[in-house]
Amino acid sequence: MRIVMMGSGGVGGFFGARLARAGEDVAFVARGAHLEAIRSGGILIENEAQGNLRVDNVRASADPAELGPADIVILSVKLWDTEQAAHAIKPIVGPDTAVLSLQNGVIKDDILRGVFPERSIMGGVAYVASHIARPGVIHQTGTMQRIVVGEYQGGISQRARALHEALLRSGVAAELSADVRRSIWEKYVFLVGLSATTASTRRPLGAVLANPRSKAFLLEVMREVVRVGRAKGVALPEDYAEQRLAFAGTLPYDMTSSMAIDLERGNRLEVEWLSGGVVKLGMEAGVDTPANAAVWAMLAPHADGRAAA
């Protein structure tokens, strides 16, 4: 199976490296110093809990067209780059190619549908705490590494099954979903909560949970996402936010979000698609979202990054 990772950062670099280490034909799209480091030295995944993993002799390019046709293209670029990335991969997407986004948020596949036919889009969601530590190096916090994939039309397709089996061989806890839209919203609930609180407090998840007021705020942020999702017809349990809060208590103290890391580094933020997305979807559904509106307003001066400011 020929796989192209469109975006090779914390998510694409991590899962692509694991797939390549398991023997899959994987190529990486990256840029700048990260691309040069991958070309010269491969990809290193750092993990204090499980040990490091290195993949050498990696095919990588800044131009997807140089990497040839693909069976599956996996997108993990930042949300504001989605449409540009979709057009960039058009030369390697054939009639049977699956285009799978592992990006944050719940509107990512709607953007892809503006470029590709519905049959090309495979739904999916990734769970991993990882980021680029330095060029060519992905740092993973904790041991969580999970991907859920599925077809929006329902059922289990041959291509979804093939990817699922490849992920299992790579050591990733992969699952096939018959309701992938719900799976994406399930992640959205926790991701918005984690991103909103770790970025706005500038503290890791463990510190957020240790303080009663910030813990209550995390719960309310997630409750708003659940209410919006249910209003949009997604089959989330009423107490799903409470379930996610209990799950948060099982995670490492120092776990944080990519948005908190971007804030610390002065990079552009995805807040418009996370808490901001909840606010906009809530307005469409007639659901009030004051907690997420507060986060969006609080982080608005940082949204375009330090350089822009």
Side-chain angles (χ1 to χ4, degrees):
M1 186 164 52
R2 293 165 298 175
I3 302 171
V4 172
M5 309 303 296
M6 183 60 187
S8 304
V11 174
F14 176 84
F15 288 111
R18 295 205 67 94
L19 285 164
R21 183 67 179 267
E24 299 298 329
D25 181 1
V26 184
F28 298 80
V29 179
R31 58 190 177 187
H34 192 48
L35 171 61
E36 294 309 313
I38 291 172
R39 280 174 164 168
S40 62
I43 297 177
L44 173 66
I45 299 175
E46 293 180 333
N47 186 305
E48 292 87 351
Q50 295 180 311
N52 296 344
L53 180 151
R54 177 176 286 282
V55 181
D56 297 312
N57 302 317
V58 172
R59 285 198 303 131
S61 174
D63 181 3
E66 294 181 354
L67 301 174
D71 297 312
I72 297 180
V73 181
I74 300 179
L75 272 78
S76 56
V77 300
K78 291 294 187 180
L79 286 164
W80 53 80
D81 286 331
T82 305
E83 187 168 359
Q84 180 181 358
H87 285 286
I89 64 174
K90 285 179 74 173
I92 63 172
V93 175
D96 298 319
T97 302
V99 179
L100 168 65
S101 166
L102 297 181
Q103 298 165 283
N104 294 328
V106 296
I107 64 167
K108 55 198 178 80
D109 292 332
D110 291 332
I111 299 173
L112 294 178
R113 289 184 184 99
V115 181
F116 301 105
E118 177 68 32
R119 68 178 182 275
S120 297
I121 311 302
M122 181 187 294
V125 61
Y127 294 85
V128 65
S130 54
H131 64 276
I132 298 176
R134 54 193 182 278
V137 179
I138 308 296
H139 181 84
Q140 181 191 12
T141 301
T143 60
M144 179 174 59
Q145 47 198 49
R146 175 177 170 239
I147 288 183
V148 182
V149 296
E151 301 287 359
Y152 280 101
Q153 296 80 9
I156 304 300
S157 68
Q158 182 177 353
R159 66 186 189 178
R161 190 181 303 277
L163 178 59
H164 175 246
E165 292 172 356
L167 287 164
L168 291 177
R169 288 194 297 271
S170 76
V172 173
E175 301 172 26
L176 287 169
S177 173
D179 187 357
V180 74
R181 182 169 179 251
R182 172 177 168 170
S183 299
I184 292 169
W185 270 88
E186 286 174 346
K187 180 187 176 179
Y188 193 49
V189 171
F190 182 69
L191 176 68
V192 170
L194 176 70
S195 300
T197 53
T198 55
S200 61
T201 64
R202 278 71 162 174
R203 297 286 286 149
L205 176 61
V208 171
L209 295 173
N211 184 284
R213 295 185 69 180
S214 55
K215 181 178 181 180
F217 186 66
L218 167 60
L219 178 59
E220 184 55 29
V221 167
M222 294 192 294
R223 280 174 171 167
E224 289 181 0
V225 188
V226 171
R227 288 195 288 267
V228 172
R230 286 171 60 84
K232 288 283 189 178
V234 183
L236 296 169
E238 287 189 26
D239 67 342
Y240 190 67
E242 286 77 7
Q243 294 178 32
R244 292 293 85 187
L245 187 68
F247 166 72
T250 69
L251 298 174
Y253 181 95
D254 61 347
M255 184 173 181
T256 190
S257 64
S258 59
M259 191 164 79
I261 293 170
D262 284 335
L263 176 65
E264 181 181 348
R265 293 179 175 179
N267 297 334
R268 190 175 176 183
L269 308 181
E270 290 187 325
V271 65
E272 180 180 343
W273 293 267
L274 299 181
S275 285
V278 176
V279 174
K280 289 181 280 190
L281 292 170
M283 292 175 66
E284 294 175 5
V287 177
D288 291 334
T289 55
N292 280 284
V295 172
W296 192 12
M298 188 185 313
L299 296 177
H302 307 278
D304 291 332
R306 191 175 299 142

